Amino acid sequence: MRYWLLKSEPDTFGIADLAKAKASTTSWEGVRNFQARNMLRDEIKAGDLAFFYHSSCPEPGIAGIVEVVRGGYPDASAWRRGSPYLDAKSPQNKPLWYTVDVRLQQRIEPLLSLAALRSHADGALADMLLLRRGNRLSVTPVSAAQWRFILSLMR
DNA sequence: GCCAACGTTGGC
DNA sequence: GCCAACGTTGGC
């Protein structure tokens, strides 16, 4: 089993929305980047754990922990009428984009801020993709060591 | 709102 | 296959 970090803009879908969702579960729809798509489709499996990260907001950071309850499957938002994620290049019979289902395991309150993570950028989190300059990927792998270290920051 | 970084597109 | 133009991301 593996660990991940999933970014979302809280204005669009934040940890509070996940907490309110049916069975605290949501489909991680709308990823439209090929590198991230490949991870959703091929690598992320049921049973994996992920940090739920808030981006593009006043206080970016890790807002919760989610469990993957369904691995990669076609993202229906690409062909759903009226969807903001509509993509004509991804018809139902030839899906281009993929999603996974995640269930809220634990909210992190207060949120573990990006600044707090960054303060370890020269140490335990030196290789963390999130902290890399120019990183924009909305799905990134997290190593077991990074995962454990970040959990220790939450206590 | 600014701007650096990076992905995608499309002409050649 | 190259690369300029353009769009998007996301912290600040």
Side-chain angles (χ1 to χ4, degrees), chain A residues 112 114-127 131 149 153:
Chain A
L112 182 59
L114 176 60
L117 294 169
R118 221 182 262 297
S119 70
H120 299 280
D122 292 328
L125 301 181
D127 297 324
L131 303 181
F149 181 78
L153 297 178

Side-chain angles (χ1 to χ4, degrees), chain A residues 100-112:
Chain A
V100 299
D101 288 354
V102 300
R103 181 171 60 212
L104 181 62
Q105 191 176 76
Q106 188 189 338
R107 283 181 81 151
I108 305 303
E109 289 175 303
L111 145 162
L112 182 59

Side-chain angles (χ1 to χ4, degrees), chain A residues 19-85:
Chain A
K20 276 183 289 186
K22 187 181 167 197
S24 300
T25 301
T26 190
S27 176
W28 203 261
E29 293 179 344
V31 172
R32 297 292 180 265
N33 167 283
F34 287 105
Q35 240 181 301
R37 187 280 309 268
N38 292 346
M39 287 188 269
L40 291 171
R41 187 187 58 188
D42 306 329
E43 299 188 47
I44 303 184
K45 307 293 184 192
D48 287 359
L49 295 175
F51 292 128
F52 188 123
Y53 180 87
H54 281 174
S55 67
S56 291
C57 58
E59 202 184 5
I62 294 172
I65 295 174
V66 298
E67 180 183 357
V68 178
V69 292
R70 182 178 177 190
Y73 65 100
D75 181 352
S77 71
W79 60 73
R80 191 184 302 135
R81 216 151 43 88
S83 161
Y85 304 119

Side-chain angles (χ1 to χ4, degrees), chain A residues 1-7 39 43-45 47-53 61-62 64-66 68 112 117 124-132 135 137-154:
Chain A
M1 90 104 160
R2 301 182 60 185
Y3 301 101
W4 307 92
L5 183 142
L6 303 173
K7 287 186 199 172
M39 287 188 269
E43 299 188 47
I44 303 184
K45 307 293 184 192
D48 287 359
L49 295 175
F51 292 128
F52 188 123
Y53 180 87
I62 294 172
I65 295 174
V66 298
V68 178
L112 182 59
L117 294 169
L125 301 181
D127 297 324
M128 188 150 183
L129 290 173
L130 175 76
L131 303 181
R132 272 224 195 119
N135 163 71
L137 263 189
S138 62
V139 178
T140 48
V142 173
S143 74
Q146 288 163 355
W147 182 271
R148 278 194 303 271
F149 181 78
I150 291 169
L151 288 188
S152 78
L153 297 178
M154 293 169 179

